[in-house]
């Protein structure tokens, strides 16, 4: 396969000759690059057909296109920030600026880096208590789960919830899939090791170490919460 940067530049010349700005982002720019890595390309246009997303293959590279206008970029970033997970901010903050015809690219990258460094909105007491309650309830379900198939789903759900709670309490951005693992590893390596190492054991039936790791997560957030919890 061709060099990812050269491939992205070729794609931009071919598909978006009038782009105001464009970024290449993702694992291809890091030591985490793998044979299945794709090219994440953010493109800023003046107007329609933006905004849209598209997946395609270019010179044997799988490509994910995130095509925006300046106004749509800000709207999407605001929506994602409210959810405490912003792939668009991350791509523009850490990505390689390939096109910048009028200074918009540099301006958006500066803004993305500032907003990413500032972190997501803080967790409210109500939100934190809800997360504690959900995780406590799931952990109780796991203790009494005799069904191996159900245990797989419970462990997977608890792993996600526990990882997210650590990030939320610490004021870190959330992630999905592999990015949840990477965000947690960067934020709290010890908790990441404890959860990821014990989850396979829990799925196999030995839940002790996993339950201990999840209890430690709950303590970071204020402890287990079930008895007396109410939503009003």
């Amino acid at each position: 396969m061709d060099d990812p940067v050269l491939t992205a530049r070729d794609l931009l010349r071919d598909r978006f000759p009038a782009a105001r700005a464009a970024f290449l982002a993702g694992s291809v720019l890091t030591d985490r690059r793998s044979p299945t890595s794709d090219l994440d390309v953010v493109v800023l246009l003046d107007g329609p057909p933006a905004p849209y997303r598209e997946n395609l293959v270019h010179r044997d590279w799988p490509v994910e296109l995130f095509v925006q206008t300046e106004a749509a970029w800000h709207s999407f970033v605001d929506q994602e920030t409210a959810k405490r997970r912003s792939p668009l901010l991350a791509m523009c903050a850490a990505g390689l600026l390939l096109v910048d015809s009028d200074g918009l690219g540099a301006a958006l990258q500066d803004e993305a880096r500032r907003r990413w460094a500032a972190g997501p909105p803080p967790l409210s007491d109500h939100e934190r208590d809800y997360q504690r309650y959900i995780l406590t309830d799931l952990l109780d379900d796991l203790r009494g789960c005799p069904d191996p198939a159900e245990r797989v789903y419970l462990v997977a759900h608890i792993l996600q919830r526990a990882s997210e709670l650590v990030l939320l309490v610490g004021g870190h951005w959330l992630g999905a899939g592999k990015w949840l693992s990477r965000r947690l590893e960067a934020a709290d390596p010890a908790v990441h090791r404890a959860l990821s190492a014990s989850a396979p054991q829990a799925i196999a039936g030995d839940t002790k170490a996993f339950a201990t790791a999840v209890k430690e997560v709950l303590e970071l957030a204020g402890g287990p919460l079930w008895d007396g919890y109410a939503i009003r």
Side-chain angles (χ1 to χ4, degrees), residues 75-86:
S75 177
F76 275 108
V77 163
D78 288 345
Q79 292 173 40
E80 290 178 346
T81 297
K83 299 174 183 177
R84 301 185 177 92
R85 184 173 76 87
S86 182

Side-chain angles (χ1 to χ4, degrees), residues 2-16 22-25 28-29 39-43 58-59 61 63 65 96 98-99:
D2 293 339
D3 177 89
V5 175
L6 295 178
T7 301
R9 291 188 187 278
D10 180 75
L11 171 67
L12 291 167
R13 284 193 297 268
D14 181 50
R15 292 283 301 270
F16 305 101
F23 302 84
L24 173 64
V28 293
L29 299 178
L39 306 184
D40 295 323
V41 181
V42 180
V43 182
H58 185 78
R59 290 191 172 181
W61 276 97
V63 180
L65 287 173
L96 179 63
L98 297 181
V99 174

Side-chain angles (χ1 to χ4, degrees), residues 81-84 118-128 167-173:
T81 297
K83 299 174 183 177
R84 301 185 177 92
L123 199 65
S124 69
D125 291 345
H126 171 76
E127 290 172 315
R128 184 181 63 251
L167 293 172
L168 290 169
V169 169
H172 302 286
W173 292 97

Side-chain angles (χ1 to χ4, degrees), residues 165-187:
L165 185 55
V166 174
L167 293 172
L168 290 169
V169 169
H172 302 286
W173 292 97
L174 297 176
K178 64 184 180 184
W179 285 104
L180 179 58
S181 173
R182 293 177 184 181
R183 299 266 188 268
L184 181 59
E185 184 180 24

